[in-house]
Amino acid sequence: MIYAYARVSSKDQNLERQLNAFQNCGIAIDKILWDKESGADFDRTNYKKLIRRLRYDDLLIIKSIDRLGRNYECILCEWKRITKDIGANIYVLDMPLLDTRCHEKNLIGKLIADIVLQLLSFVAENERTNIRARQAEGIAIAKQKGVRFGRPRIILPDNFYEVADAYITHTISYNEALNLTNLRPTTFYRYLKGYNTGSYGSETY
């Protein structure tokens, strides 16, 4: 039996390109399953239905490897489950080397596909490592230049203590205190709480 699987990440994305490719391969519409869900893992409604249908020597066709999933460690595990545990085959249209069926000239498709997939996984993981390294280098350089990260520092207005005392003694209302300090309600309350408990030790945070 030949099945096809398509995926896009969100409900407003279009599956048409993938579905057209499958129909051009002559795959019956009732054998095409798709999900409009994230590729971060394989906990997808129709993908799980597909796995339950797959049997030994069936063929699963996908348009590209990232339509199967985004996490290459998970893809490797799922690839093993389909090709080794279930005994089905996989063919990736956009990368013909990812074809676990036996090829001519005695070349074993499963071996070739496994090697290519391992290579893709290494490249993807290496790129993630490089991205993290570049981000760390960029942050370090920015810090050396005095760039601050996180929430911006808020400097207390000069009249904060005076206004806080007036509010605590009920001389002015809460809204008046906000207007006089020009602070947001959550910010004023946070500073006021620290002032009352004596834990406030700096005019910035």
Side-chain angles (χ1 to χ4, degrees), residues 31-77:
K31 296 298 186 291
I32 301 175
L33 290 88
W34 64 83
D35 285 306
K36 291 192 172 185
E37 298 182 43
S38 168
D41 57 43
F42 287 87
D43 187 22
R44 308 176 214 135
T45 304
N46 284 322
Y47 180 81
K48 290 188 290 187
K49 185 183 298 184
L50 168 69
I51 291 299
R52 289 194 296 269
R53 290 186 185 181
L54 279 177
R55 296 291 183 269
Y56 180 82
D57 215 28
D58 283 347
L59 174 63
L60 170 61
I61 296 179
I62 55 176
K63 182 72 169 67
S64 59
I65 194 65
D66 63 340
R67 296 305 89 200
L68 186 62
R70 289 287 189 182
N71 185 314
Y72 269 88
E73 290 183 6
C74 293
I75 289 175
L76 287 172
C77 292

Side-chain angles (χ1 to χ4, degrees), residues 179-190:
N179 289 331
L180 289 170
T181 58
N182 198 31
L183 293 172
R184 291 182 301 176
T186 53
T187 305
F188 177 79
Y189 178 75
R190 182 164 59 248

Side-chain angles (χ1 to χ4, degrees), residues 35-204:
D35 285 306
K36 291 192 172 185
E37 298 182 43
S38 168
D41 57 43
F42 287 87
D43 187 22
R44 308 176 214 135
T45 304
N46 284 322
Y47 180 81
K48 290 188 290 187
K49 185 183 298 184
L50 168 69
I51 291 299
R52 289 194 296 269
R53 290 186 185 181
L54 279 177
R55 296 291 183 269
Y56 180 82
D57 215 28
D58 283 347
L59 174 63
L60 170 61
I61 296 179
I62 55 176
K63 182 72 169 67
S64 59
I65 194 65
D66 63 340
R67 296 305 89 200
L68 186 62
R70 289 287 189 182
N71 185 314
Y72 269 88
E73 290 183 6
C74 293
I75 289 175
L76 287 172
C77 292
E78 206 63 19
W79 190 276
K80 178 181 178 297
R81 174 157 74 137
I82 293 171
T83 61
K84 293 181 171 57
D85 298 344
I86 297 175
N89 288 298
I90 304 177
Y91 175 43
V92 182
L93 294 177
D94 286 354
M95 188 170 288
L97 280 175
L98 287 176
D99 184 353
T100 64
R101 297 171 296 179
C102 291
H103 295 283
E104 296 178 357
K105 300 180 182 179
N106 295 322
L107 292 176
I108 302 176
K110 286 184 171 59
L111 177 60
I112 296 173
D114 284 350
I115 292 173
V116 172
L117 189 63
Q118 290 281 353
L119 179 60
L120 289 174
S121 178
F122 169 78
V123 171
E125 180 59 33
N126 192 55
E127 179 59 20
R128 285 196 293 269
T129 301
N130 289 337
I131 289 172
R132 287 193 292 267
R134 289 194 294 268
Q135 288 173 337
E137 290 171 359
I139 291 172
I141 292 171
K143 285 183 175 179
Q144 289 175 359
K145 293 181 178 180
V147 177
R148 294 184 180 275
F149 295 89
R151 293 187 303 176
R153 292 180 176 271
I154 296 177
I155 300 176
L156 279 178
D158 294 336
N159 65 345
F160 175 78
Y161 298 109
E162 178 184 349
V163 173
D165 286 334
Y167 173 71
I168 292 169
T169 58
H170 305 290
T171 305
I172 60 175
S173 69
Y174 184 64
N175 286 334
E176 288 174 324
L178 293 179
N179 289 331
L180 289 170
T181 58
N182 198 31
L183 293 172
R184 291 182 301 176
T186 53
T187 305
F188 177 79
Y189 178 75
R190 182 164 59 248
Y191 284 118
L192 182 67
K193 184 178 179 181
Y195 180 51
N196 278 332
T197 60
S199 63
Y200 184 81
S202 172
E203 291 192 356
T204 59

